[in-house]
């Protein structure tokens, strides 16, 4: 019997590293995290580096290595956004930013059909049926010194921190009031 290659062992260890904390962190959020209350919106607002309404201008699947493992390529979604309105932060309307999603087990991406684990691989959808406008409370994950693997800086997840604009009407009303503070 041939021993598994080092690349397979590293891949399995990386998958376990991302999946274990993610499995706990990606449980369905409690109702108060979705509640349409000023308190929830203000809490999300206060915790974010920037809060914007943005339009997806490009979304694609990429296959590349991420640090700290330059030999291990991952497949994930890369979405580029153009900022339409700023509610908080030093960014400006017209600025762009990129979000890589699907790296951790929590990330789902802009197009919910584009990254879906099926058996031993990824299903790549060609559908352009995804929301083009998003409300994003951008909050970077902390950098943990000396950690062998860092969490992604920010991902599109199934959460009230990143969602299609048409699902964020309540937030928009409250954010207009918070914007001037």
């Amino acid at each position: 019997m041939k021993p598994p290659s080092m690349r397979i062992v590293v891949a399995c260890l990386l998958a376990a590293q991302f999946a274990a904390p993610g499995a706990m962190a990606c449980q369905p959020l409690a109702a108060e995290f979705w509640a349409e209350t000023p308190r929830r919106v203000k809490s999300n607002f206060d915790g974010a580096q920037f809060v914007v309404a943005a339009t997806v201008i490009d979304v694609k699947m990429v296959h590349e290595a991420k640090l700290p493992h330059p030999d291990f390529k991952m497949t994930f979604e890369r979405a580029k956004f153009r900022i339409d309105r700023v509610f908080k932060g030093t960014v400006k309307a017209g600025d762009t930013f990129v979000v890589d999603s699907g790296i951790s087990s929590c990330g789902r991406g802009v197009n919910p059909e584009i990254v879906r684990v099926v058996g031993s691989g990824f299903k790549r959808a060609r559908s352009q049926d995804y929301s083009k406008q998003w409300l994003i409370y951008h909050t970077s994950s902390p950098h943990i010194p000396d950690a062998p693997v860092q969490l992604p800086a920010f991902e599109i997840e199934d959460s009230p921190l990143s969602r299609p604009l048409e699902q964020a009407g309540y937030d928009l009303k409250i954010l207009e009031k918070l914007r001037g503070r």
Side-chain angles (χ1 to χ4, degrees):
M1 179 193 281
K2 185 177 175 183
S5 75
M6 184 57 139
R7 191 176 184 128
I8 292 172
V9 171
V10 169
C12 290
L13 290 173
L14 276 172
Q17 181 79 19
F18 281 121
M24 289 174 34
C26 296
Q27 297 299 319
L29 295 175
E32 63 264 18
F33 288 101
W34 293 98
E36 290 192 349
T37 64
R39 181 178 181 196
R40 192 250 323 142
V41 176
K42 183 163 179 356
S43 175
N44 290 347
F45 180 86
D46 289 346
Q49 293 166 328
F50 63 83
V51 182
V52 298
T55 300
V56 177
I57 56 176
D58 186 42
V59 62
K60 61 187 171 190
M61 293 302 294
V62 294
H63 186 72
E64 65 183 41
K66 290 284 198 182
L67 292 176
H69 302 285
D71 295 332
F72 179 69
K73 290 191 175 185
M74 303 175 72
T75 301
F76 53 92
E77 178 192 271
R78 178 164 289 156
K80 185 174 184 179
F81 293 86
R82 182 187 61 246
I83 297 172
D84 300 320
R85 284 188 282 173
V86 178
F87 298 101
K88 178 184 179 181
T90 58
V91 295
K92 299 182 291 289
D95 287 353
T96 62
F97 63 98
V98 174
V99 177
D100 291 343
S101 295
I103 296 169
S104 76
S105 59
C106 295
R108 70 165 181 84
V110 167
N111 186 344
E113 299 300 318
I114 209 163
V115 179
R116 182 174 295 160
V117 177
V118 179
S120 62
F122 285 91
K123 173 184 175 187
R124 290 188 182 91
R126 302 229 186 273
S127 169
Q128 293 300 305
D129 285 344
Y130 56 87
S131 296
K132 303 292 193 258
Q133 295 186 301
W134 286 72
L135 175 64
I136 297 185
Y137 295 84
H138 195 285
T139 307
S140 293
S141 297
H143 177 79
I144 304 167
D146 301 325
V149 177
Q150 298 293 328
L151 293 172
F154 179 83
E155 286 189 285
I156 300 298
E157 300 176 352
D158 191 20
S159 81
L161 297 179
S162 49
R163 57 187 163 150
L165 206 55
E166 68 263 12
Q167 297 173 11
Y170 182 83
D171 289 48
L172 293 173
K173 290 176 194 171
I174 303 298
L175 289 170
E176 286 295 339
K177 294 174 186 174
L178 293 174
R179 181 191 337 207
R181 291 184 181 183

